[in-house]
DNA sequence: ATATCGATTATCT
DNA sequence: GATAATCGATATG
């Protein structure tokens, strides 16, 4: 009889090198990783199941398309930093900067599968957890996941996501993604046809 | 100074 | 499936 081996889940934070490359590669590699917020009341965490890459030059949909401004300067800075922006008068969206200092690029977090602190995140989102369907309302969408993790521009824009001192980090728990589906990005009008959206195939927590 | 519009979401029909 | 809500960044005069 084969002895059952307890799987040790080491939780390794991603380092700067992980983000120092093309956003398309980072967006793929981020699928399956854990976005985690440390709070005084405990850990809030979700598995990344949907991302979008935003490039520098030539990507009209990217906020970095028309050069560096006060708003988008994080995208032009070193890799592994949080770019948070306010959208539609109501919501925040969270990105991580990619490529070396001086070269713009980033990846938008579009959906998480809740894994830890689910009750707290549900409360932050104002959803009651009665059915499995309600679980999807917690963090399936770029604005929703920011609300769930308490991500705002004032709190988190410019934060180093690779620093041990940061309360917002990205971890690798060893999860292996089977298959990735690629398609056009959502909610944009310019450069709309490029296949820069990545999802874990079959995962029920993707947006839309 | 004013107008437009958006990397969204909740709430309708 | 369609639309209102809501405000800051950006474009235009």
């Amino acid at each position: 009889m084969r002895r059952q081996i307890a799987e040790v889940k080491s939780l390794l934070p991603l380092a700067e090198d992980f983000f120092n490359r093309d956003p398309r590669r980072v967006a793929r590699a981020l699928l399956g990783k854990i976005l985690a917020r440390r709070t005084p009341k405990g850990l809030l965490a979700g598995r990344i199941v949907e991302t979008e890459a935003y490039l520098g030059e030539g990507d009209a949909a990217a906020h970095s398309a028309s050069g560096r401004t006060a708003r988008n300067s994080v995208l032009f800075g070193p890799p592994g930093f949080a770019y948070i922006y306010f959208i539609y008068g109501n919501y925040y969206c969270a990105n991580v900067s990619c490529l070396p200092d001086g070269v713009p690029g980033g990846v938008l977090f579009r959906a998480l599968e809740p894994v830890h602190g689910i009750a707290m995140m549900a409360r932050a989102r104002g959803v009651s957890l009665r059915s499995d369907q309600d679980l999807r309302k917690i963090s399936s969408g770029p604005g929703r996941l920011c609300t769930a993790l308490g991500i705002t521009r004032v709190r988190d824009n410019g934060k180093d996501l690779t620093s041990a001192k940061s309360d917002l980090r990205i971890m690798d728990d060893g999860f292996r993604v089977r298959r990735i589906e690629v398609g056009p990005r959502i909610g944009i009008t310019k450069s709309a046809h490029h296949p820069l959206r990545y999802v874990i195939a079959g995962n029920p927590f993707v947006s839309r």
Side-chain angles (χ1 to χ4, degrees), chain A residues 12-34 48 51 78-81 96-100 107 109 161-162 170-172:
Chain A
L12 298 177
L14 300 184
E16 175 174 328
D17 279 355
F18 182 95
F19 303 99
N20 192 10
R21 47 182 169 159
D22 189 291
R24 285 166 289 208
R25 295 192 57 198
V26 177
R28 281 181 168 276
L30 278 174
L31 293 178
K33 303 299 188 291
I34 304 285
I48 299 163
T51 58
F81 285 70
V96 58
S97 62
C98 300
L99 298 169
V107 171
F109 300 103
L161 297 180
T162 69
I170 306 171
M171 323 289 276
D172 185 351

Side-chain angles (χ1 to χ4, degrees), chain A residues 129-204:
Chain A
L129 293 175
R130 290 207 296 272
S131 70
D132 286 353
Q133 194 71 338
D134 293 331
L135 261 188
R136 285 188 9 89
K137 295 179 185 165
I138 293 179
S139 50
S140 292
R144 290 172 168 186
L145 73 87
C146 283
T147 302
L149 296 187
I151 294 173
T152 68
R153 184 185 62 79
V154 169
R155 275 183 75 179
D156 302 304
N157 189 55
K159 193 168 277 182
D160 184 355
L161 297 180
T162 69
S163 167
K165 289 178 290 193
S166 176
D167 62 350
L168 195 61
R169 286 204 295 173
I170 306 171
M171 323 289 276
D172 185 351
D173 71 344
F175 180 86
R176 296 298 187 87
V177 175
R178 290 175 181 273
R179 197 163 65 84
I180 293 172
E181 281 175 357
V182 185
R185 295 173 294 187
I186 292 183
I188 57 173
T189 54
K190 308 169 208 165
S191 298
H193 61 285
H194 298 105
L196 295 173
R197 171 175 178 256
Y198 307 86
V199 307
I200 295 179
N203 188 284

Side-chain angles (χ1 to χ4, degrees), chain A residues 1 23 47 49 58 78 106 110 113 148 173 182 185 197 205 207:
Chain A
M1 184 190 276
R47 191 175 306 284
V49 300
R110 280 200 60 91
E113 174 175 347
D173 71 344
V182 185
R185 295 173 294 187
R197 171 175 178 256
F205 292 91
S207 68

Side-chain angles (χ1 to χ4, degrees), chain A residues 2-10:
Chain A
R2 194 158 66 88
R3 190 158 65 101
Q4 188 158 348
I5 299 173
E7 199 171 329
V8 178
K9 295 257 169 128
S10 55

